[in-house]
Amino acid sequence: MSVDTEPLRKIIVKLKGLENLDPQDCQDLGRGLQRVIIEDNRRGVLSGFDKDGNFAPTLKYRNGTGTPTSPRAMRSKAFGTTSGTFKGVSQASGDQLANNNLSKRAYRQLTGPRLAPRREQSRVITNLVALPLQVESDSITVTCAWFDVISVKSVPFLKAHFEGSSKTNLPAYDLRGIRPWGMMEARNLVKLWIHSLITAKD
């Protein structure tokens, strides 16, 4: 019995052609993954999910809950973007205290979920920034970080919420990571990227 190995040979040739990727191809994948992280954070925070996809602890100091939020279509320009404006260091103005913090009166009137009282305008969404990609021969490192989420006295406070504190009865609500939905989208994106590279070598 004879076996036609020509199709297998073609696949091997195509895979060998991927050994030396064009840096631009890696940049394209990295930027796509950055958008997935931003979208996953937006969707997860608004829905009230932590990094593992678990529900946020119930708020006790104001009324506010997560609202089921669908992701935007990956092919749309909105996917992986924030509709709110980055909120940096600022002076007090009316009910808005220094550094974009709110007075207790204004804060308690808002109904957004934990850490996002202003919903899409909240700093935990608007101030998540994609850092420069790190592309090496065999890896792409994609990192996002929150900037200028600080108290009136310019003290960063997200880490305290992420880790929680038994001393202050602050429950842990960790957003540092990619939720199950985001991981699924990232895997799908990588599969599409690999497929496009293989088919482009025809």
Side-chain angles (χ1 to χ4, degrees):
M1 182 179 71
S2 63
V3 178
D4 182 5
T5 60
E6 182 61 18
L8 180 59
R9 188 191 67 79
K10 289 182 177 180
I11 292 175
I12 293 174
V13 170
K14 291 178 181 179
L15 292 177
K16 283 186 175 294
L18 301 180
E19 289 180 350
N20 299 307
L21 289 174
D22 186 322
Q24 185 58 51
D25 289 329
C26 296
Q27 291 285 335
D28 291 343
L29 174 60
R31 283 192 289 271
L33 292 173
Q34 287 174 335
R35 295 176 70 202
V36 168
I37 292 173
I38 298 295
E39 187 70 20
D40 178 71
N41 178 71
R42 170 191 168 274
R43 175 181 179 271
V45 169
L46 293 177
S47 298
F49 298 143
D50 68 6
K51 67 180 180 66
D52 298 314
N54 300 316
F55 285 111
T58 303
L59 290 168
K60 297 181 179 180
Y61 43 88
R62 65 178 177 85
N63 292 321
T65 59
T67 302
T69 303
S70 299
R72 281 83 59 94
M74 183 177 284
R75 293 185 180 275
S76 73
K77 292 183 178 179
F79 183 89
T81 64
T82 55
S83 61
T85 303
F86 182 92
K87 298 172 178 64
V89 177
S90 65
Q91 300 295 319
S93 176
D95 276 337
Q96 186 167 289
L97 307 180
N99 303 325
N100 291 282
N101 291 283
L102 300 173
S103 67
K104 289 184 178 179
R105 182 182 65 81
Y107 192 63
R108 287 174 176 164
Q109 291 176 349
L110 299 174
T111 59
R114 181 174 287 274
L115 290 183
R118 291 171 275 197
R119 298 191 184 276
E120 292 214 34
Q121 300 297 322
S122 298
R123 290 172 290 177
V124 76
I125 293 177
T126 63
N127 290 24
L128 183 64
V129 176
L131 302 183
L133 295 169
Q134 298 179 34
V135 180
E136 299 180 8
S137 60
D138 60 350
S139 67
I140 303 173
T141 301
V142 183
T143 308
C144 294
W146 289 275
F147 286 88
D148 290 352
V149 185
I150 53 179
S151 69
V152 172
K153 296 182 178 180
S154 299
V155 177
F157 60 81
L158 281 182
K159 186 177 180 181
H161 285 274
F162 294 164
E163 298 180 353
S165 172
S166 57
K167 292 182 180 179
T168 59
N169 293 318
L170 184 66
Y173 181 47
D174 199 348
L175 305 178
R176 299 170 297 182
I178 305 177
R179 296 162 186 81
W181 176 86
M183 291 299 295
M184 178 183 68
E185 290 300 300
R187 284 193 291 268
N188 289 338
L189 184 63
V190 171
K191 289 178 182 177
L192 289 172
W193 178 74
I194 292 173
H195 182 265
S196 68
L197 290 179
I198 292 175
T199 55
K201 299 296 180 179
D202 285 334

